[in-house]
Amino acid sequence: MATWGFGLRAKSILALVAACLLALLPASLLGWQLVEGVRDYFGEAYARNYTQLKREQILGLLDRELALAKRLAGSQLTRQWLADEDAPAKKTLALREAEAFRLDLHDHAYFIASGISGHFFFNDDSKPFSAQPRYTLDAAKAEDSWFFATLRRPEDYNINVNVDVPLQITMVWFNVVIRDRDRAIGVAGAGLNLREFLAEFINTEEAGVTPIILARSGAIQAHRDTKLISTNQAGSTARAEQTLAGQLADAVDRAELGRAMENAAARPGQVASFWATLDGRRQLLALSYVPELKWYVVTAVDLKTAQVLDGDWLRTAVLVVVGTLALLLTAFALAVHRLVIHPLRRLHRSATAISHGDFQVSVPADGRDEIADLGRAFATMAEKLRAYTENLEREVQERTQALEAANRDMRAAHQKISDSIDYASLIQRAILPARQLTQQLGEHHFVLWRPRDVVGGDFYVFRADGPRYLIGVVDCAGHGVPGALMTMLARAALDHAMSEAGIASPAEVLRRTDAAMRAMRAMLQDTPLPRAIATNMDAGLVCVDLENRRMVYAGAKIPLFWSDGETLASVPGGRRAIGDRRQGEYSDEVVPLRPGTTYTLVTDGYLDQSGGELGYGFGNARFASLLREVARRPLREQAQALEQALGEYQGEHSQRDDITILSFRFD
């Protein structure tokens, strides 16, 4: 039965085709108009392709020269020479490499101009090779302004076109900036003479085809008739007869030319076309813009003269073939629409509804042909898809609920951890002697304490004993929560050492603290993975004796700096940290307490902070220079200056370690 249904449809199609053949005679009367339309269509395609081809020929020549100029400007040898022009070896290597580039350039000519000295080096085939500058560029001279303007531009290169009409020479100059990192140190490039290229460009053997080149202003730059070429180099003030618009007598055609030029300039690489009367004939004009040269490539095609189509043969063939095919296709389209397209549209509407989630659809399942079989199969598929979708939605809902519950638990756990760490931060800040320092020293001190995380491994100490004070900073191994736990142990060890030994000898305090930390390290030897636990710490302690105007200092890898604004000195700490595997040796150093001198203790977090362009550490030298610079300022201003200097140097880099600075001064 399916075969019988399909046979009926085949008979219907044959009957429609036979009826369509009877209509061939009236269709032949429309053939000539169809041929004209086909010729216009292919003529426009021919004009567009021809214009695109000419544009690509120009760009191909430019791209090759520009690529070589970029390689010359980007050469490491060229940059090294211009950065150190007085080095003859670098100059020799750079010019030797430039000579190799010169042989590959189209005109065998290159130039290199230094942005530091202004020397202009040039070599070509017309002169013997010279390693000496041809002349020196001067910013005050108008003819040298191109060079200094190129150095100031943000672009890496620019292309200049110089048209000399009396000599019939068109030069294109490629100027590429030579950069040392972000600094422009010179310009390198090459010149390209387009005289031969333009001669080949306009002298085409294609009948009815006229290639033209226009400047951005519309002035004619290249044409078979040399009288029409603009005698003005810039083309901005060309006479009317030397512009393409001046060759168009119709104002409507000139307006179409303006719109086509705007469209081509707005979309470089695309071709804009329009019909106009040129040289007394109706011609098709196609334009494409070359932004590198600020030129329009124009092709004027006279379709009655150009060999776009073979008229005699095509007229007969088109009348017969096109007319026959048009009628047959019309009849076939009607038959296919009735027998195939209409049922398929119903099937498509059903499929679209299913894609939007509506499974209650009716499909064309009536009939006994192939389309009906397809409809019934589609109905079965839709039912299975509906059941599968319902099961999938149910599973997704269940998994979403489970995921939401897991997220709630995770957020609660994260909140507990955050609350615990915040509370630990409050405890750590509470044990710092900030209030005691303020009560005893007031404006004679400042503290810059910045842990890397919420809690950290740095802390500072202060203890008063009559007219004597013990001031110090400690940097425990690690940071974050492990570092904060170590500060508790280290603080307890220090307090115990100060209680036993007093504060008169910082070295004795360090020795007792070292003994306590080493004992704790011995206790950890029985725990798993003892090597993963770091118990050492750096420290610097100063005992200030106001009655005798002197200080006693002892340190473990932390030095004491002091400066009066003119000089800067320091006392280094011991070479071993407290709690190290090998016992350290610490000694007291007596330092005079001078009025107007600022004394500073700093942990390595400040000195090691990465920043700057290369990401290096802040460093001891930069820190010493900064201390000397701010030493005479009030201590509050010193704290602001140190914090500002660190922030500017750090930039976008993250903080690497805990940072602590403690400074004091007694006037």
Side-chain angles (χ1 to χ4, degrees):
M1 296 299 292
T3 303
W4 176 76
F6 184 79
L8 288 178
R9 282 175 170 77
K11 292 179 180 179
S12 299
I13 293 174
L14 291 175
L16 287 172
V17 171
C20 290
L21 291 176
L22 298 177
L24 289 177
L25 183 59
S28 62
L29 299 177
L30 302 176
W32 179 254
Q33 296 181 357
L34 180 61
V35 169
E36 292 293 327
V38 170
R39 186 182 64 182
D40 290 346
Y41 173 82
F42 285 100
E44 183 174 1
Y46 173 84
R48 288 177 175 272
N49 292 336
Y50 189 92
T51 304
Q52 195 72 267
L53 175 62
K54 290 295 184 181
R55 181 181 185 274
E56 292 302 322
Q57 288 177 351
I58 295 175
L59 286 179
L61 185 59
L62 294 180
D63 288 344
R64 180 183 179 278
E65 296 298 297
L66 178 59
L68 289 173
K70 284 183 176 180
R71 288 178 57 192
L72 175 60
S75 168
Q76 185 69 23
L77 296 177
T78 304
R79 289 200 299 267
Q80 290 177 354
W81 167 40
L82 293 186
D84 186 12
E85 287 190 56
D86 295 329
K90 295 180 180 179
K91 179 180 180 180
T92 300
L93 291 176
L95 291 179
R96 185 181 300 168
E97 184 184 42
E99 277 297 292
F101 279 107
R102 185 180 71 82
L103 298 178
D104 291 334
L105 291 168
H106 185 273
D107 290 345
H108 296 176
Y110 73 91
F111 71 88
I112 299 175
S114 171
I116 299 174
S117 65
H119 292 335
F120 185 90
F121 298 84
F122 178 82
N123 283 292
D124 63 356
D125 287 338
S126 65
K127 305 179 187 67
F129 170 79
S130 175
Q132 301 302 320
R134 301 292 182 176
Y135 60 92
T136 301
L137 299 165
D138 188 355
K141 294 182 179 180
E143 59 268 28
D144 295 339
S145 61
W146 65 270
F147 171 74
F148 299 96
T150 300
L151 287 178
R152 291 191 297 270
R153 288 178 179 171
E155 300 88 2
D156 290 333
Y157 72 92
N158 62 75
I159 301 176
N160 294 330
V161 182
N162 182 22
V163 181
D164 193 331
V165 175
L167 297 179
Q168 296 185 354
I169 294 176
T170 300
M171 288 295 299
V172 179
W173 292 97
F174 304 86
N175 304 319
V176 184
V177 179
I178 304 172
R179 300 186 187 277
D180 184 8
R181 297 181 181 174
D182 295 332
R183 183 170 65 106
I185 61 174
V187 178
L192 178 62
N193 190 337
L194 294 182
R195 181 175 182 176
E196 296 180 0
F197 178 84
L198 293 179
E200 296 178 0
F201 179 87
I202 62 176
N203 294 326
T204 177
E205 297 180 356
E206 298 290 335
V209 179
T210 304
I212 306 171
I213 289 181
L214 302 182
R216 187 69 172 87
S217 61
I220 297 175
Q221 302 292 290
H223 197 281
R224 290 175 182 170
D225 188 354
T226 57
K227 297 190 298 297
L228 300 180
I229 299 176
S230 172
T231 57
N232 181 273
Q233 291 187 8
S236 58
T237 58
R239 300 194 305 272
E241 62 270 23
Q242 293 178 336
T243 65
L244 182 58
Q247 300 298 314
L248 304 177
D250 193 342
V252 176
D253 292 345
R254 290 194 294 271
E256 287 289 335
L257 172 62
R259 284 191 289 271
M261 292 176 67
E262 291 179 1
N263 293 335
R267 295 186 293 274
Q270 301 296 319
V271 179
S273 61
F274 67 99
W275 288 92
T277 301
L278 180 64
D279 296 334
R281 302 187 304 274
R282 194 66 173 167
Q283 300 190 52
L284 178 63
L285 274 69
L287 298 85
S288 183
Y289 186 59
V290 184
E292 292 82 358
L293 301 178
K294 299 182 180 178
W295 279 357
Y296 291 95
V297 177
V298 184
T299 305
V301 181
D302 183 358
L303 295 184
K304 293 183 179 180
T305 305
Q307 296 298 320
V308 178
L309 298 174
D310 188 357
D312 295 337
W313 177 86
L314 189 62
R315 288 186 186 94
T316 303
V318 167
L319 286 174
V320 176
V321 176
V322 174
T324 303
L325 288 178
L327 293 176
L328 289 176
L329 288 175
T330 301
F332 186 75
L334 293 174
V336 170
H337 181 272
R338 179 176 178 273
L339 301 175
V340 178
I341 301 300
H342 182 65
L344 288 179
R345 282 182 177 174
R346 291 180 57 195
L347 190 61
H348 176 265
R349 286 194 295 269
S350 300
T352 302
I354 291 175
S355 68
H356 289 86
D358 182 10
F359 297 97
Q360 303 299 323
V361 295
S362 60
V363 295
D366 53 330
R368 299 182 179 182
D369 55 9
E370 289 80 357
I371 295 180
D373 293 340
L374 179 63
R376 286 186 288 272
F378 187 85
T380 302
M381 181 193 69
E383 177 60 26
K384 292 182 178 180
L385 184 60
R386 181 191 62 78
Y388 176 77
T389 302
E390 291 178 353
N391 293 334
L392 182 61
E393 289 178 349
R394 184 166 51 253
E395 292 180 3
V396 169
Q397 184 177 8
E398 294 174 354
R399 294 184 181 182
T400 301
Q401 293 174 354
L403 182 60
E404 290 177 350
N407 286 337
R408 286 194 299 269
D409 295 341
M410 184 173 63
R411 285 194 297 270
H414 183 269
Q415 185 62 42
K416 290 181 179 179
I417 295 173
S418 298
D419 292 344
S420 299
I421 294 177
D422 291 340
Y423 188 64
S425 176
L426 293 175
I427 295 174
Q428 188 176 37
R429 291 176 182 274
I431 69 172
L432 295 175
R435 185 170 60 182
Q436 295 91 322
L437 275 169
T438 301
Q439 291 175 351
Q440 295 290 336
L441 302 185
E443 296 183 354
H444 294 286
H445 88 291
F446 76 81
V447 176
L448 177 60
W449 184 70
R450 185 195 293 176
R452 194 197 73 169
D453 304 310
V454 180
V455 292
D458 281 12
F459 68 97
Y460 52 95
V461 295
F462 176 79
R463 178 170 291 194
D465 185 9
R468 292 186 301 179
Y469 307 126
L470 184 69
I471 305 172
V473 296
V474 179
D475 179 5
C476 295
H479 37 69
V481 174
L485 292 175
M486 286 302 303
T487 62
M488 297 301 207
L489 298 175
R491 176 61 186 270
L494 273 172
D495 287 344
H496 181 71
M498 287 186 290
S499 298
E500 288 186 346
I503 65 175
S505 174
E508 182 61 26
V509 174
L510 292 180
R511 282 192 288 270
R512 291 177 180 267
T513 304
D514 180 55
M517 298 301 292
R518 291 170 63 81
M520 181 185 68
R521 184 181 185 86
M523 294 172 59
L524 293 175
Q525 295 298 321
D526 296 334
T527 61
L529 299 176
R531 293 183 180 180
I533 302 175
T535 58
N536 58 303
M537 63 183 184
D538 302 340
L541 301 179
V542 182
C543 178
V544 181
D545 189 348
L546 295 180
E547 285 185 345
N548 298 316
R549 303 299 298 178
R550 70 166 197 162
M551 298 186 302
V552 179
Y553 173 75
K557 299 183 69 175
I558 291 183
L560 171 67
F561 296 92
W562 72 84
S563 176
D564 57 3
E566 296 181 357
T567 61
L568 183 136
S570 64
V571 177
R575 291 185 297 176
R576 295 196 178 278
I578 294 175
D580 199 356
R581 295 178 180 273
R582 299 176 63 181
Q583 184 174 357
E585 296 180 1
Y586 314 106
S587 60
D588 290 328
E589 298 288 342
V590 178
V591 180
L593 185 61
R594 299 184 179 92
T597 299
T598 301
Y599 300 88
T600 302
L601 294 168
V602 59
T603 62
D604 58 4
Y606 192 102
L607 304 175
D608 295 341
Q609 176 58 49
S610 57
E613 295 182 357
L614 302 178
Y616 293 154
F618 194 86
N620 291 328
R622 186 178 285 106
F623 181 70
S625 177
L626 182 60
L627 288 181
R628 185 184 299 108
E629 178 183 346
V630 303
R632 292 184 180 274
R633 300 182 189 178
L635 288 171
R636 179 176 299 178
E637 295 182 9
Q638 291 189 35
Q640 295 174 353
L642 289 172
E643 189 163 13
Q644 180 180 355
L646 180 65
E648 292 175 353
Y649 183 79
Q650 179 178 350
E652 299 298 326
H653 293 77
S654 59
Q655 184 173 335
R656 295 180 56 183
D657 199 356
D658 304 320
I659 295 173
T660 302
I661 297 179
L662 193 155
S663 293
F664 55 90
R665 179 172 65 195
F666 296 98
D667 298 327

